[in-house]
Amino acid sequence: MSSSMLFNVTTLSYMVSMLIFFAFLATKNKNIGLAGSLAALFGFVVQTAAILLRWKESYDLGHGHAPLSNLYESVVFFSWTIILIYGLIELKYKYRVIGAFVVPFALLGMAWAQLGLNSGIEPLVPALQSNWLLYHVITCFLGYAAFAVACGISIMYLVKEKQEQSSGDAPAGGVFAMFPSVRILDDLNYRAIMIGFPLLTLGIVTGAAWANYAWGTYWSWDPKETWSLIVWFVYAAFLHARITRGWVGRRAAILSIIGFAATIFCYLGVNLFLSGLHSYGK
Amino acid sequence: MTTTKRGFAHTLWDFFCSLKLSISLLIGLATTSIIGTVIPQGSPPPEYLQTISQNKLQLYDKLGFFDMYHSWWFILLLYLLTVNLVACSIKRLPRVWKIIAEPTLVMDDGFEKSLSLTHEYKMPGDAATLRDKIAAFLKQEFAEPVTTESGGEYHLFAQKNPYCRLGVYVVHLSIIIIFIGALIGSFFGYKGFVNIVEGTSVSTAYTRTEKPIDLGFAVRCEKFSVSFYDTGAPKEFKSILTVLENGKPVPGYEKIPVIVNDPLSYKGITFYQSSYGPAGDGAVHHLSVRAKNGGAPVKLIARQGESVNLPGGGTMHVLESTQEVKSFIPEFSGPAAKIEVHAPNGQTQSFIVFRNYPDLDAQRGGDLIFNYDGADEKYYTGLQVAKDPGVWVVWLGCTLMVVGIMMAFFMSHKRLWIRVAAGRVTLGGTASKNPAGFQLVFDDLADKLKKM
């Protein structure tokens, strides 16, 4: 059994989970919702095993590094963290329907990694040979994942709000009946960002510490660094907006979506379109 | 006159205290920061200049877009943010401090109405006995209470995590500390580089603008080496360095290996492995050549580019060489050289010889068969040199920021008031965060109190 086979099982599980969640939206049957969560959980367990197996395979090949060193590995890890954060939020707040808007992000990541990216296990280039790699990548991606979940919730918020406005005071029907109220969605959005912001901060700080250790400058306005700061600014603005009148609800949801777009650009756009110190992420 | 002055100062103060300004500045910083990630910073590469017009170039230059993170307007935004967060903190901190230092000890009727969580029950017993029982209960289940007597009733007040209310201000302070650290670095530190040829030493580093910096000691590069993976990707760049004081090696700083991610520090100055290259004086190549139809091989020594006579007439010279050919020709590995041979009949041929594939050249079918035995080549190692006395201040700021964020996000100031009168107990509570979570705690406490 190889890790890449297990990753295929993972991708399939997330696809099944997403389809079940869509069926859940349509049928409002609680058992179907549970099945969606279980499919995602199964995928998550298989993916965890696959990541550990790939780690071991790297040692077998004589490279011996954590599977966090190139774009393929990071996309796989990103989708793992998305499911992890979604799972924690589901456990705590019991809103299963969020899965229908979050699992697709994880599926998209896995599908892209499996179909479009080079999955070879490469040895580490000198710049990455450091324990900081582990701390830096894990904190950053957990932060990114929390923002992905917040983005999914914000999309739900906008959809739900629009539906409520158009149907007036009538009780929400159809697909939207399953959604938590806009007030709860707004709160969940805030809570997801409360998880993501400290992690992003830690990610930036560990990145700065590493840069200082490896290059002698903790900050050099490299495009990746700058974009991580841009993301930090956007969510800092979001957090301050919470305590300002008129910035909760719709505007907060939009700010959260913009924040996630900036996150994705920081993660992928910088590597694909701009040049800089993180070019090994290609 | 004074009133208008005060009016203006007041307006200015209000402006700097406003959260709207904070949000605008944060979004403004986020938006403008994008410019520097799209336009190359520092001296823009010439090929980039071909893609923009002269007018645009002048405009960008005026706006400081080529070094935008140090441009006056970007720095101004950062200063405005600093003033903004200082002003906001000064305005709000005293109020928050009052809540912490002078808590409301007595829950009167008006205050009780302002609390979202309250509970009231009848309890037998006189007030003093109840007070003692409840005080013990609170100490065990929540926090030690403060008891106040007023109007024949006892008021108990207990709180948890009051200081987490300062979390936001800790974060604000941490940002200022990070800025101070950055300023210390820019005034008292420097960034530079040195290139040291193997076997030589240097005592001067150069900044990006070619300004010399006297290190106060010398660094010698004993050896530089680079190793590669089978794939041809670099595995390790290593310089062996020795620190010299007055020409003598410093004990403990002799022959220290420095690799990427493992620098050398001496007297607050740190050397980071950064680049390498061949030293200017050229490599000495070793080759051997023999005739196709047999005969003993003849050893040749050829300096880079230097013409060498061949046995049987003709000359050859080495055009270029590499320590690792894999990055150019993936099918081969090891050192290789491209050589040009001028036969006596005037014919010129150039081809590549590989050290790791000694018999390969026989397949070329020439009259002479060349073998490459490698080269003695001196390298220089390129080291980043950095001195930054502010870096510890920056780390202090970063630590404070993480601590402050944890305090602000994950801790909640929980307060409980209990009013004890003869036969009647009133419970009230509030939390600075997560009201739903606190309600569970509150209901649980109320339940236990009832059963007490």
Side-chain angles (χ1 to χ4, degrees):
Chain A
M1 188 151 40
S2 70
S3 63
S4 88
M5 228 172 75
L6 290 181
F7 283 130
N8 283 330
V9 176
T10 307
T11 314
L12 207 66
S13 307
Y14 290 160
M15 185 142 88
V16 169
S17 167
M18 183 184 80
L19 293 174
I20 297 176
F21 273 126
F22 287 166
F24 174 48
L25 283 180
T27 60
K28 289 169 257 169
N29 181 325
K30 282 214 164 93
N31 291 328
I32 294 180
L34 179 67
S37 288
L38 289 177
L41 178 66
F42 175 75
F44 181 74
V45 171
V46 173
Q47 191 176 12
T48 311
I51 290 172
L52 292 174
L53 187 61
R54 187 179 167 93
W55 201 335
K56 185 188 165 289
E57 282 167 4
S58 150
Y59 272 90
D60 293 344
L61 283 171
H63 301 327
H65 61 78
L68 300 169
S69 69
N70 59 22
L71 188 55
Y72 172 83
E73 291 175 341
S74 76
V75 172
V76 166
F77 185 67
F78 186 32
S79 95
W80 184 84
T81 53
I82 290 174
I83 298 292
L84 175 72
I85 299 278
Y86 156 67
L88 292 177
I89 286 185
E90 195 206 283
L91 273 183
K92 182 135 193 240
Y93 301 107
K94 319 269 185 246
Y95 292 109
R96 190 151 274 153
V97 66
I98 293 168
F101 287 82
V102 173
V103 174
F105 285 123
L107 172 66
L108 204 68
M110 282 310 291
W112 182 40
Q114 289 300 86
L115 298 175
L117 295 175
N118 174 16
S119 67
I121 300 180
E122 306 284 340
L124 280 186
V125 294
L128 295 182
Q129 293 165 7
S130 168
N131 282 334
W132 283 107
L133 175 67
L134 212 61
Y135 314 134
H136 177 54
V137 172
I138 288 177
T139 47
C140 283
F141 277 96
L142 284 172
Y144 291 179
F147 296 147
V149 172
C151 175
I153 292 169
S154 296
I155 293 170
M156 287 175 80
Y157 178 96
L158 293 180
V159 171
K160 176 90 175 178
E161 190 195 43
K162 195 161 181 217
Q163 183 270 337
E164 274 184 358
Q165 279 166 358
S166 61
S167 67
D169 291 333
V175 169
F176 308 105
M178 301 301 304
F179 284 25
S181 71
V182 283
R183 205 178 50 79
I184 287 172
L185 286 170
D186 183 54
D187 192 48
L188 286 177
N189 182 23
Y190 177 52
R191 281 169 199 282
I193 288 169
M194 287 229 296
I195 298 171
F197 191 72
L199 286 164
L200 175 70
T201 309
L202 269 176
I204 295 174
V205 170
T206 52
W210 186 9
N212 186 62
Y213 183 64
W215 298 315
T217 38
Y218 51 84
W219 198 263
S220 49
W221 295 106
D222 163 74
K224 193 76 154 191
E225 290 172 355
T226 309
W227 270 96
S228 72
L229 190 66
I230 291 169
V231 172
W232 196 87
F233 282 143
V234 172
Y235 287 109
F238 174 93
L239 292 169
H240 286 87
R242 295 295 301 180
I243 44 174
T244 312
R245 200 171 302 217
W247 273 83
V248 280
R250 189 182 167 73
R251 281 195 195 176
I254 291 170
L255 209 50
S256 169
I257 293 171
I258 291 174
F260 186 60
T263 306
I264 285 297
F265 192 83
C266 175
Y267 171 30
L268 298 172
V270 171
N271 294 69
L272 300 176
F273 303 120
L274 308 172
S275 63
L277 296 169
H278 280 73
S279 51
Y280 31 73
K282 271 183 195 167
Chain B
M1 187 66 199
T2 42
T3 36
T4 32
K5 253 188 189 166
R6 192 175 299 148
F8 175 72
H10 205 81
T11 317
L12 195 69
W13 176 246
D14 280 349
F15 171 74
F16 277 116
C17 284
S18 89
L19 258 163
K20 286 226 168 72
L21 178 67
S22 318
I23 297 169
S24 315
L25 284 173
L26 287 168
I27 292 179
L29 281 166
T31 318
T32 51
S33 293
I34 297 173
I35 297 168
T37 68
V38 179
I39 297 175
Q41 296 294 288
S43 44
E47 62 268 34
Y48 171 75
L49 294 182
Q50 288 161 11
T51 65
I52 61 169
S53 68
Q54 197 61 34
N55 289 339
K56 246 188 186 165
L57 178 77
Q58 271 169 359
L59 180 70
Y60 284 7
D61 199 38
K62 266 224 176 77
L63 292 170
F65 281 1
F66 296 118
D67 192 15
M68 71 147 277
Y69 303 110
H70 305 100
S71 67
W72 65 268
W73 54 268
F74 193 77
I75 302 282
L76 180 70
L77 281 178
L78 290 176
Y79 276 126
L80 282 175
L81 184 72
T82 312
V83 173
N84 179 219
L85 63 86
V86 169
C88 279
S89 302
I90 289 175
K91 187 179 172 187
R92 289 170 177 81
L93 195 54
R95 224 161 40 204
V96 172
W97 186 250
K98 208 173 164 203
I99 295 177
I100 297 169
E102 302 163 28
T104 312
L105 296 172
V106 173
M107 174 173 65
D108 56 29
D109 287 339
F111 187 61
E112 186 190 335
K113 286 205 178 78
S114 74
L115 296 171
S116 56
L117 296 174
T118 52
H119 229 289
E120 195 174 298
Y121 2 60
K122 291 205 163 63
M123 273 196 174
D126 68 296
T129 322
L130 275 176
R131 176 201 63 190
D132 292 343
K133 269 167 81 177
I134 293 170
F137 167 82
L138 277 179
K139 192 178 173 186
Q140 198 196 337
E141 296 285 335
F142 188 71
E144 190 163 3
V146 180
T147 309
T148 323
E149 192 187 347
S150 109
E153 294 176 324
Y154 294 107
H155 295 267
L156 284 80
F157 168 73
Q159 60 178 348
K160 266 185 171 175
N161 305 332
Y163 290 101
C164 78
R165 284 184 184 269
L166 296 177
V168 175
Y169 306 100
V170 172
V171 176
H172 287 178
L173 179 68
S174 77
I175 292 172
I176 293 169
I177 291 178
I178 290 172
F179 283 164
I180 291 172
L183 286 176
I184 292 175
S186 72
F187 284 124
F188 303 106
Y190 55 77
K191 307 251 175 325
F193 67 91
V194 286
N195 290 337
I196 316 176
V197 176
E198 287 177 299
T200 68
S201 63
V202 299
S203 58
T204 311
Y206 291 89
T207 66
R208 214 168 46 153
T209 51
E210 300 283 321
K211 206 180 92 194
I213 306 159
D214 183 25
L215 296 173
F217 55 89
V219 180
R220 185 165 68 205
C221 175
E222 310 287 357
K223 192 170 167 39
F224 174 82
S225 62
V226 50
S227 61
F228 297 88
Y229 291 110
D230 295 340
T231 57
K235 183 178 185 179
E236 187 181 76
F237 306 108
K238 182 159 74 181
S239 304
I240 310 287
L241 302 181
T242 297
V243 177
L244 306 168
E245 290 266 22
N246 306 318
K248 292 202 185 74
V250 178
Y253 289 92
E254 288 175 77
K255 302 206 165 114
I256 306 292
V258 171
I259 59 173
V260 180
N261 274 311
D262 195 5
L264 167 73
S265 280
Y266 182 70
K267 285 191 172 170
I269 300 172
T270 310
F271 297 85
Y272 303 85
Q273 182 64 56
S274 162
S275 62
Y276 75 102
D281 50 357
V284 180
H285 297 274
H286 298 272
L287 298 111
S288 56
V289 61
R290 62 188 157 92
K292 188 169 70 173
N293 44 19
V298 177
K299 299 262 180 209
L300 299 175
I301 293 176
R303 286 194 170 277
Q304 185 95 34
E306 189 185 69
S307 192
V308 178
N309 290 324
L310 290 171
T315 62
M316 63 134 305
H317 62 269
V318 176
L319 293 170
E320 52 184 342
S321 65
T322 172
Q323 285 293 307
E324 180 51 71
V325 74
K326 184 156 267 166
S327 18
F328 308 101
I329 312 171
E331 295 84 16
F332 294 97
S333 66
K338 189 172 191 188
I339 61 174
E340 192 169 278
V341 175
H342 303 275
N345 58 13
Q347 222 181 345
T348 300
Q349 250 193 321
S350 66
F351 49 91
I352 300 168
V353 285
F354 304 90
R355 195 192 66 183
N356 293 359
Y357 308 91
D359 297 321
L360 198 69
D361 195 47
Q363 293 168 21
R364 186 171 48 88
D367 290 336
L368 292 171
I369 300 169
F370 289 85
N371 274 342
Y372 185 52
D373 299 328
D376 300 327
E377 185 169 24
K378 272 196 180 168
Y379 280 89
Y380 74 84
T381 180
L383 304 168
Q384 293 279 346
V385 184
K387 181 182 167 186
D388 190 348
V391 77
W392 292 106
V393 180
V394 172
W395 296 147
L396 173 73
C398 289
T399 312
L400 269 182
M401 179 181 281
V402 172
V403 170
I405 288 176
M406 296 296 171
M407 282 164 72
F409 282 12
F410 301 121
M411 287 167 77
S412 163
H413 179 201
K414 299 173 184 136
R415 289 179 293 172
L416 272 186
W417 291 268
I418 301 183
R419 189 169 58 221
V420 184
R424 194 163 51 91
V425 172
T426 315
L427 183 63
T430 179
S432 63
K433 250 176 295 237
N434 191 10
F438 182 65
Q439 184 160 11
L440 296 176
V441 176
F442 183 83
D443 290 346
D444 184 50
L445 277 171
D447 218 38
K448 280 186 183 156
L449 194 65
K450 198 187 266 174
K451 285 177 190 147
M452 191 181 73

